[in-house]
Amino acid sequence: MSSRRNLVRVAVPVPLADAFDYLVAAGDALPPVGTRVRVPFGRGERIGLVVEHPAKTDVAPARLKTIGAVLDTTPALGAELMASLRWAAEYYHHPVGAVLSHALPGPLREGRAIDEPPEPSWQLTALGRTVDVAGLPRTARQQARALRALRERALAASELEAEDVAATALARLAAKGWIEPGPPLPQPELEPARGQPSREPDLTPDQRTVLEDFARARNAKGFRAYLLHGVTGSGKTEIYLRLIAAELAAGRQTLLLVPEIGLTPQLVRRLRERFGEELAVLHSAVTERQRFDAWRRAYRGGAKLVVGTRSAVFAPLPSAGLIIVDEEHDASFKQQSGFRYSARDLAVVRAQRLDVPVVLGSATPSLETFNNALQGRYVRLALPRRIGSAGAPRVRVVDLNLHASRQALSTPLVAAIGQHLTAGHQVLLFLNRRGFAPALFCPQCKSTEQCRRCDARMTVHARAGAVRCHHCGAERALQWACGACGVERIAVGAGTQRVGEELAALFPAARIARLDRDSTSRKGALDMVLSDVETGNVEILVGTQMLTKGHDFPRVTLVGVLNADQGLFGTDPRSHERLAQTILQVAGRAGRAELPGEVLIQTHHPGHPLLTSVIDGDYTAFATLALNERREASWPPFAHLALWHAEAARRDSAFAFLEHVRAAADAERGSVAVLGPAPLAMERKGGQYRAQLLFRSAERAPLHRLVGRTLLALRGSAAARRARWSIDIDPLEI
Ligand code: ADP
Ligand code: ZN
């Protein structure tokens, strides 16, 4: 071991690794923690981040290598972010290099400079505007595409790239004098808002109380976690806007995390109207280059409001004042592959380190958050009433044992749809199943069309003339004749597509749209559907989970839940929580303004206690009951979980790995329970057999110690090489 003062410890994004020690060349200053450096690694070179300045190293002097170029003049990741990320790497048991690099925008991972000039744009020249695009040779397809796109507006190079226009095509167009470089473009969300800017409304008494309670608890500046529990339509967004405005006035930044920006254009519009230039949007729909520009505005502190989805939790916040997580219960905040973090939980961790308040908002808070508020760890702020004069929607259950239904539409629901349409209002129908029908069944040999690579049925997509597996994406041509006996088969059950067709037959005059992944896969299609509902161009909207996301459509008065039973009898300990959240959220789309709303829930189990509390619209009653069940069964939040997942082409390999984990853990498990291994409910997916093993512990510390030790024991094990595996801390799905 040698002791020196010219050492840096560098985290490099490689699997299964800690950080590595390097020398800094004699006479060079030590690059600060959070700085990107190029380092020799294996036979090549990597970009890593300085995590420490160690006083000594275990590496033999002859083997110590020297760092290459230092890429940042000021650290790419600030002190708080570095600390939070290192904490996350430890907590989620994920390699620190991978975690740090995850937090960097793509261009920085590739070694580009933080202060490189903003991306140039391209625009048509006067000559370019006269070109007959249709007359271009077929070999110049990219050039034609570029010219057509540029007729609409100037575009950033990365936007043209996203349209499959290569740099060479642009160079040719420029050489012909048809296009020329233009000034850098503003971020799309910074373009002036169209239409009337909305006036700041007078606060309701409830809203005023919430803001007063917040201010009182906030005690100057400092960390504190709040649950903003407001029923749907109670004006939570207006609370966010006021809190953000207060931070802005104080010159501080706010980070606002939302589940899916594409689904809530109304929210972005409201933010843009109120905060204009101060806004930076970070999410996956903008191009990587635009995201980089937004990241840099946050990094320099120019963007005072940073809005984004899950990964925006890693945004730089040099002058942070507040963090808000909207719809904190939403599953999209948990990353389900690779670095399996919870953005909601990391938001709280960052707020703690930044010493600023964090507000978690929801009408249907996760049981974890709800319990934290019950225990007094979080301050509960409540908005118990709706804003409009309409009040809470009336909820009715349709007992499917008593009423006939066709394509998932019962007679009472059809009657209700008719009444609401006649009144000139809009209807939303929720069905968590896309496609035409979930099964293709042969009445002769009783067989159902199966996916060849998954333990799952193929879904019929009648309009596309295909059957598709919704788990692995496999697709085959739809053949009505049974392959085994030649008999004409039947499409059983209904998905959104089939319900849409049935509605068209029942209500030929009504304009009907679908909102699911199939109907919105084309670019711009999602915006189109949402704006059609907003402007009243659509009277009936049939959709999946996408319907549940915070939409505010004032003329929707009827919401139908076509099948509440999916999830009533799930094996996952969270399935009830998820179902209650889904039903209450979708029900919350009814009667949001002045028109009273009605909700019909179709079920075969009308007496189920979950449905009874949901019918009363009482999430608190549901959550209290559900928490008691969780306590009795020792599930979160009354226990902590770590889930080992393994998959392999051979069933044995997945199990052998988990048995190995079990054996490695058993000797030292102490108070931690080790459950499994067990196959997943759908064992085979995409040709891989899947199994899992669960660690459960009443205390966090022994759980994390055991995971850490087990991971060490797995290093170099042969079983670990024969399966693809991962460890998931605080898993959402079990
Ligand atoms: P939530 O997020 O709680 O579901 P929103 O914030 O979307 O509810 O508010 C529901 C509706 O009430 C929106 O149309 C919003 O513009 C309106 N609203 C909110 N606060 C007020 C207020 N103080 N006065 C009038 N309208 C309001
Ligand atoms: Zn499949």
Side-chain angles (χ1 to χ4, degrees):
M1 199 171 288
S2 57
S3 186
R4 305 160 172 269
R5 258 169 298 135
N6 55 351
L7 288 169
V8 281
R9 191 157 291 162
V10 178
V12 179
V14 290
L16 298 173
D18 306 318
F20 303 88
D21 291 345
Y22 288 89
L23 280 175
V24 174
D28 283 359
L30 284 183
V33 168
T35 306
R36 290 174 303 147
V37 290
R38 279 187 203 280
V39 290
F41 194 86
R43 253 171 262 155
E45 218 185 32
R46 296 289 175 118
I47 294 169
L49 279 143
V50 176
V51 290
E52 256 176 76
H53 299 147
K56 50 194 177 187
T57 178
D58 293 336
V59 182
R63 303 199 55 198
L64 263 182
K65 294 179 185 163
T66 304
I67 61 164
V70 176
L71 300 176
D72 298 316
T73 44
T74 52
L77 298 176
E80 171 274 327
L81 200 45
M82 281 299 285
S84 296
L85 290 166
R86 294 190 70 186
W87 179 90
E90 222 163 87
Y91 183 83
Y92 292 107
H93 296 273
H94 202 70
V96 64
V99 169
L100 295 177
S101 123
H102 196 94
L104 289 175
L108 293 189
R109 281 200 291 268
E110 292 155 15
R112 307 243 293 272
I114 293 182
D115 52 9
E116 83 179 17
E119 186 184 25
S121 67
W122 289 100
Q123 59 194 26
L124 288 181
T125 58
L127 179 61
R129 235 165 271 134
T130 64
V131 175
D132 168 26
V133 177
L136 288 176
R138 287 164 132 260
T139 48
R141 233 174 279 160
Q142 293 196 15
Q143 294 181 40
R145 228 180 356 254
L147 290 177
R148 266 195 212 103
L150 288 170
R151 271 189 193 164
E152 311 271 320
R153 63 178 177 93
L155 289 167
S158 67
E159 288 179 298
L160 286 160
E161 216 171 278
E163 302 279 332
D164 272 331
V165 177
T168 47
L170 293 173
R172 287 207 189 98
L173 288 170
K176 291 181 200 162
W178 292 353
I179 65 172
E180 63 191 2
L185 300 170
Q187 265 204 298
E189 64 274 7
L190 293 183
E191 284 162 24
R194 267 169 291 168
Q196 285 287 354
S198 67
R199 212 178 44 83
E200 214 176 59
D202 295 331
L203 294 175
T204 64
D206 284 343
Q207 286 173 326
R208 240 178 292 147
T209 309
V210 159
L211 288 175
E212 282 160 16
D213 288 352
F214 177 87
R216 200 168 314 121
R218 174 166 185 177
N219 57 29
K221 185 167 174 271
F223 169 73
R224 185 149 250 181
Y226 299 82
L227 162 60
L228 174 58
H229 186 184
V231 299
T232 52
S234 61
K236 291 186 289 295
T237 313
E238 189 58 40
I239 297 288
Y240 303 150
L241 298 179
R242 299 296 175 107
L243 294 177
I244 295 166
E247 293 308 315
L248 258 175
R252 293 190 293 255
Q253 287 175 300
T254 302
L255 171 65
L256 169 60
L257 297 181
V258 296
E260 271 158 282
I261 287 186
L263 281 173
T264 46
Q266 293 166 323
L267 175 67
V268 177
R269 197 160 58 218
R270 276 166 84 181
L271 294 172
R272 190 156 48 133
E273 284 168 3
R274 294 268 179 102
F275 304 117
E277 304 257 305
E278 321 274 2
L279 179 63
V281 176
L282 289 164
H283 62 101
S284 45
V286 298
T287 69
E288 182 156 271
R289 189 51 213 242
Q290 289 171 326
R291 202 159 59 220
F292 182 37
D293 287 343
W295 185 94
R296 295 193 293 181
R297 292 180 36 237
Y299 176 84
R300 298 192 184 109
K304 289 284 184 274
L305 170 58
V306 181
V307 184
T309 47
R310 182 176 59 227
S311 63
V313 75
F314 304 118
L317 298 168
S319 54
L322 172 68
I323 300 182
I324 301 172
V325 184
D326 187 24
E327 311 291 5
E328 67 86 33
H329 65 278
D330 198 278
S332 74
F333 288 125
K334 177 83 202 267
Q335 170 123 322
Q336 303 280 20
S337 63
F339 173 29
R340 292 162 193 257
Y341 65 93
S342 156
R344 194 250 339 263
D345 295 346
L346 285 183
V348 177
V349 169
R350 285 199 71 187
Q352 225 156 358
R353 288 186 189 276
L354 291 163
D355 202 25
V356 301
V358 57
V359 176
L360 309 180
S362 177
T364 55
S366 65
L367 292 183
E368 279 81 358
T369 300
F370 190 85
N371 189 52
N372 278 329
L374 272 186
Q375 303 299 322
R377 282 188 289 270
Y378 293 0
V379 178
R380 182 167 179 271
L381 307 169
L383 291 172
R385 276 170 290 266
R386 285 201 153 182
I387 295 276
S389 56
R394 194 162 67 97
V395 183
R396 269 199 289 154
V397 159
V398 177
D399 183 349
L400 290 177
N401 302 300
L402 304 179
H403 296 283
S405 77
R406 254 181 77 92
Q407 314 313 359
L409 299 168
S410 66
T411 357
L413 179 60
V414 171
I417 296 173
Q419 285 160 12
H420 285 259
L421 291 181
T422 310
H425 304 158
Q426 290 170 306
V427 175
L428 295 191
L429 300 174
F430 169 69
L431 176 62
N432 216 358
R433 223 183 237 159
R434 63 197 169 87
F436 183 77
L440 185 57
F441 176 74
C442 172
Q444 179 80 27
C445 67
K446 315 285 184 215
S447 68
T448 309
E449 180 104 0
Q450 296 283 321
C451 176
R452 297 194 185 106
R453 312 182 70 223
C454 303
D455 296 329
R457 291 173 177 158
M458 298 295 272
T459 299
V460 181
H461 285 255
R463 218 169 294 168
V467 291
R468 288 183 193 146
C469 174
H470 286 186
H471 303 282
C472 72
E475 174 167 335
R476 301 197 282 271
L478 168 59
Q479 258 143 17
W480 289 105
C482 175
C485 52
V487 166
E488 166 107 354
R489 291 186 288 181
I490 319 165
V492 183
T496 45
Q497 199 185 94
R498 192 175 208 173
V499 170
E501 290 185 9
E502 180 70 12
L503 287 165
L506 288 168
F507 304 102
R511 286 158 299 184
I512 300 163
R514 266 192 300 142
L515 186 68
D516 57 29
R517 263 204 285 146
D518 299 320
S519 68
T520 56
S521 58
R522 252 182 323 108
K523 207 177 146 202
L526 176 58
D527 283 345
M528 185 82 93
V529 175
L530 294 178
S531 83
D532 276 349
V533 180
E534 238 187 305
T535 56
N537 258 336
V538 159
E539 284 135 344
I540 309 179
L541 183 65
V542 189
T544 55
Q545 204 69 25
M546 288 171 128
L547 275 187
T548 62
K549 313 278 172 168
H551 308 291
D552 189 26
F553 302 128
R555 294 198 67 79
V556 169
T557 52
L558 174 64
V559 165
V561 177
L562 299 194
N563 185 358
D565 298 347
Q566 289 175 311
L568 266 189
F569 302 100
T571 51
D572 190 308
R574 271 182 233 270
S575 53
H576 279 183
E577 178 184 347
R578 234 174 279 133
L579 180 62
Q581 289 165 341
T582 300
I583 295 181
L584 282 171
Q585 289 289 345
V586 69
R589 303 312 118 207
R592 289 174 67 85
E594 309 315 318
L595 306 165
E598 183 179 19
V599 180
L600 261 64
I601 301 177
Q602 302 190 145
T603 174
H604 284 100
H605 308 277
H608 196 288
L610 181 144
L611 292 178
T612 337
S613 56
V614 166
I615 290 158
D616 295 336
D618 191 349
Y619 188 76
T620 299
F622 162 78
T624 312
L625 273 177
L627 275 175
N628 282 336
E629 285 171 20
R630 295 270 186 94
R631 186 182 287 113
E632 273 158 33
S634 298
W635 284 118
F638 305 102
H640 304 288
L641 305 178
L643 184 69
W644 298 83
H645 174 100
E647 56 183 66
R650 294 177 32 138
R651 192 170 190 272
D652 298 350
S653 307
F655 273 85
F657 168 75
L658 294 175
E659 289 293 357
H660 188 72
V661 173
R662 197 189 161 93
D666 251 354
E668 319 192 44
R669 70 178 183 82
S671 63
V672 179
V674 178
L675 312 170
L680 263 67
M682 191 180 93
E683 183 173 16
R684 206 167 47 103
K685 180 178 168 184
Q688 300 283 308
Y689 287 87
R690 311 181 301 160
Q692 60 188 24
L693 177 78
L694 192 64
F695 287 4
R696 177 169 75 183
S697 171
E699 305 293 330
R700 267 192 209 284
L703 179 76
H704 281 269
R705 264 199 307 277
L706 186 63
V707 171
R709 289 207 192 118
T710 310
L711 279 169
L712 271 182
L714 288 176
R715 285 202 177 172
S717 97
R721 281 194 298 271
R722 281 196 284 273
R724 274 185 54 189
W725 58 272
S726 60
I727 176 85
D728 189 353
I729 307 295
D730 307 331
L732 267 196
E733 279 161 40
I734 299 159

